[in-house]
């Protein structure tokens, strides 16, 4: 006897997306989230994440295309606008805009390679040195609103939502899994564990995971000098620093105030020990960066926040099934844009409707040649 067909542990972007995808296929779903829905202690809070097609890796370019279509389906399903296209820029000595342009050309994704002078003409207030890649199919997704939309539409189709219900242990049996909570047990045919930075403590001893490094990251919001200037594209700039920038939405203040952060250099921590204190050295680096590269911004941060990355050594996602457990860890600081697709892929694995992406399997992450880890 099972209480539910599919238990989803965690209601960040990935768990919430899985609930949406599985209920769209008529599955019975229970979502267990240790904190109130929409909390800010994990990786999915805030009003903006970058969505983009430009990756140096054809696999991710292909997946972004599928994800973009599914975001539009979620918008249609929920009646909310979630994705706003601004276009995207890639530049800097460490970024190889021409190489990414070649990958986009191969994937038939519209793009332009511009000299720095032309980019500065088009986007006054931004500075460039080398070639700049522009592609129009990029922008932001509202992360808070997306989590809410996934959960609301899943609940409409019958998902049972249990906020403030921590899963304290998982006990896989052959054809089902028992989930223990303070309120009692739940038995499910499958459990998708989308526990973000809590994945390793919860799955330790049950699943051999790759090294998952949890870091506390910080983001800063800077207002435009001219709040009525045209919005800039989202930007990936890899040079002395690896920096991303995007319109920050509600968190950033009015108009096109920018959310800006370092992709790397987070402080290693754990979900339990993170302190939520912004690293002053990062604030200093980003403030100097803004003064040098983005003279169209007021270089005094208007607002700041912390967030957790859970990163694999290759920055590839983990998405695989082991017995009744689906391990779903798509972060490494770039998972949000794929969430609408990850829900589908996790549901495929939970319902035996599809096989894992070979690069995302536990075996691939652990350097095993085959998929012998999976049953
Ligand atoms: C600062 C920052 C900026 C980012 N920017 C971008 C970007 O621009 N573009 C992009 O594509 N990606 C971006 N990302 C990455 C993206 O946000 C993450 O990939 C995504 O949010 C991961 O979602 P998740 O559901 O795996 O994790 P989480 O959001 O952390 O969700 C996990 C959930 O599981 C719950 N949970 C854990 N253990 C238990 C338990 N035992 N019982 C019940 N519940 C449990 C947690 O409370 C949590 O709610 C960024 C991430 C950060 C931190």
């Amino acid at each position: 006897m099972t209480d539910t067909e599919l238990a989803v542990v965690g209601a960040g972007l990935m768990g919430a997306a899985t609930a949406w995808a599985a209920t769209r296929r008529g599955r019975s779903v229970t979502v267990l989230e240790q904190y109130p829905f929409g909390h800010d202690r994990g990786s999915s809070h805030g009003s903006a994440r970058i969505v983009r097609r430009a990756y140096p890796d054809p696999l991710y370019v292909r997946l972004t295309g599928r994800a973009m279509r599914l975001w539009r389906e979620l918008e249609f399903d929920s009646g909310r606008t979630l994705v706003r296209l601004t276009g995207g820029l890639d530049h800097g000595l460490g970024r190889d805009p021409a190489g990414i342009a070649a990958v986009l050309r191969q994937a038939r994704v519209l793009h332009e390679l511009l000299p720095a002078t032309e980019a500065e003409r088009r986007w006054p207030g931004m500075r460039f040195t080398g070639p700049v890649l522009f592609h129009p199919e990029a922008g932001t997704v509202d992360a808070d609103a997306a989590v809410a939309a996934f959960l609301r539409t899943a609940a409409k189709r019958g998902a049972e939502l249990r906020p403030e219900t921590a899963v304290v242990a998982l006990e896989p049996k052959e054809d089902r899994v028992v989930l223990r909570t303070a309120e009692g047990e739940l038995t499910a045919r499958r459990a998708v564990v989308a526990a973000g930075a809590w994945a390793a403590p919860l799955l330790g001893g049950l699943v051999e995971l790759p090294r998952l490094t949890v870091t506390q990251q910080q983001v800063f919001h800077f207002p435009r000098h001219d709040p009525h200037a045209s919005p800039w594209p989202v930007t990936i700039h890899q040079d002395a620093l690896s920096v991303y920038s995007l319109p920050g939405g509600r968190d950033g203040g009015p108009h096109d105030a920018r959310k800006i952060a370092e992709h790397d250099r987070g402080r290693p921590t754990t979900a339990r020990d993170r302190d939520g204190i912004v690293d002053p050295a990062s604030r200093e680096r980003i403030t100097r960066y803004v003064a040098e590269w983005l003279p169209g911004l007021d270089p005094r941060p208007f607002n700041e926040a912390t967030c957790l990355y859970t990163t694999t050594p290759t920055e590839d996602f983990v998405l695989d099934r082991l017995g009744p457990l689906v391990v779903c860890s798509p972060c490494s600081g770039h998972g949000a844009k794929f969430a609408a697709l990850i829900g589908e892929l996790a549901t495929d694995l939970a319902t035996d409707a599809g096989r894992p992406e070979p690069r995302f399997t536990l075996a691939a992450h652990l350097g095993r040649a085959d998929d012998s880890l999976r049953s």
Side-chain angles (χ1 to χ4, degrees):
M1 283 292 287
T2 57
D3 301 314
T4 187
E5 201 175 351
L6 181 63
V8 177
V9 182
L13 277 164
M14 304 310 154
T18 304
W20 177 63
T23 52
R24 288 215 298 169
R25 296 188 203 177
R27 303 290 172 162
S28 97
V29 175
T30 303
V31 180
L32 303 108
E33 164 56 52
Q34 62 186 344
Y35 296 127
F37 292 131
H39 70 89
D40 64 1
R41 291 179 236 191
S43 306
S44 299
H45 52 285
S47 53
R49 294 285 187 282
I50 290 178
V51 296
R52 60 188 156 94
R53 302 294 318 274
Y55 267 82
D57 180 332
L59 168 65
Y60 286 99
V61 177
R62 183 163 53 77
L63 297 181
T64 56
R66 294 176 65 190
M68 284 287 194
R69 286 191 287 280
L70 286 160
W71 283 120
R72 295 306 183 197
E73 285 184 28
L74 175 65
E75 289 183 322
F76 188 72
D77 201 13
S78 65
R80 289 235 22 200
T81 301
L82 301 165
V83 173
R84 289 183 175 77
L85 294 185
T86 59
L89 301 175
D90 291 77
H91 67 114
L93 286 175
R95 190 62 184 160
D96 189 16
I100 302 173
V103 176
L104 293 185
R105 193 172 311 118
Q106 199 72 35
R108 296 172 171 274
V109 175
L110 215 59
H111 64 278
E112 286 175 87
L113 205 53
L114 306 167
T117 46
E118 169 61 10
E120 287 186 356
R121 193 192 62 75
R122 284 201 201 178
W123 298 288
M126 303 183 95
R127 281 198 58 232
F128 306 93
T129 47
V132 180
L133 174 69
F134 171 74
H135 76 294
E137 210 184 334
T140 59
V141 62
D142 183 332
D144 284 335
V147 169
F150 282 133
L151 292 176
R152 203 173 48 247
T153 46
K156 267 196 197 151
R157 293 197 177 91
E160 189 188 341
L161 304 185
R162 297 195 192 173
E164 298 182 82
T165 307
V167 174
V168 292
L170 294 160
E171 286 172 22
K173 316 271 181 195
E174 240 163 58
D175 58 349
R176 63 195 192 285
V177 51
V178 177
L179 298 97
R180 296 199 190 285
T181 76
E183 288 75 37
E185 292 181 4
L186 177 81
T187 306
R189 213 170 86 73
R190 299 272 198 267
V192 172
V193 180
W198 293 261
L202 185 60
L203 289 166
L206 294 175
V207 176
E208 189 181 353
L209 292 169
R211 183 162 49 81
L212 296 176
T213 304
V214 176
T215 52
Q216 184 172 269
Q217 308 289 135
Q218 40 274 309
V219 302
F220 305 92
H221 295 268
F222 294 86
R224 298 280 296 265
H225 280 308
D226 175 2
H228 303 295
S230 326
W232 291 332
V234 299
T235 304
I236 307 288
H237 182 195
Q238 286 178 302
D239 222 297
L241 298 182
S242 181
V243 173
Y244 62 90
S245 125
L246 61 152
R250 286 179 310 279
D251 299 343
H255 306 293
D256 186 39
R258 302 292 287 191
K259 171 175 165 180
I260 306 185
E262 292 174 284
H263 174 62
D264 49 3
R265 302 219 208 177
R267 193 186 314 144
T269 185
T270 64
R272 203 189 50 193
D273 298 332
R274 64 86 60 92
D275 57 16
I277 298 171
V278 167
D279 177 1
S282 181
R283 187 192 297 117
E284 170 65 26
R285 285 193 295 272
I286 288 295
T287 303
R288 266 192 279 117
Y289 172 88
V290 166
E292 182 180 353
W293 290 96
L294 298 171
L297 295 180
D298 178 344
R300 291 167 299 178
F302 163 85
N303 192 347
E304 53 193 29
T306 63
C307 184
L308 296 176
Y309 274 9
T310 304
T311 304
T312 59
T314 57
E315 296 196 2
D316 275 342
F317 304 147
V318 184
L319 192 49
D320 198 0
R321 184 167 75 77
L322 193 65
L325 298 178
V326 175
V327 182
C328 178
S329 179
C331 184
S332 293
H334 68 120
K337 70 184 69 58
F338 300 96
L341 171 64
I342 297 296
E344 292 288 331
L345 300 181
T347 302
D348 282 348
L349 294 180
T351 58
D352 302 310
R355 292 185 59 77
E357 160 55 45
R359 273 181 39 198
F360 299 168
T361 61
L362 292 160
H365 279 285
L366 294 167
R368 312 274 164 82
D370 57 21
D371 63 355
S372 58
L373 287 166
R374 294 189 299 112
S375 62

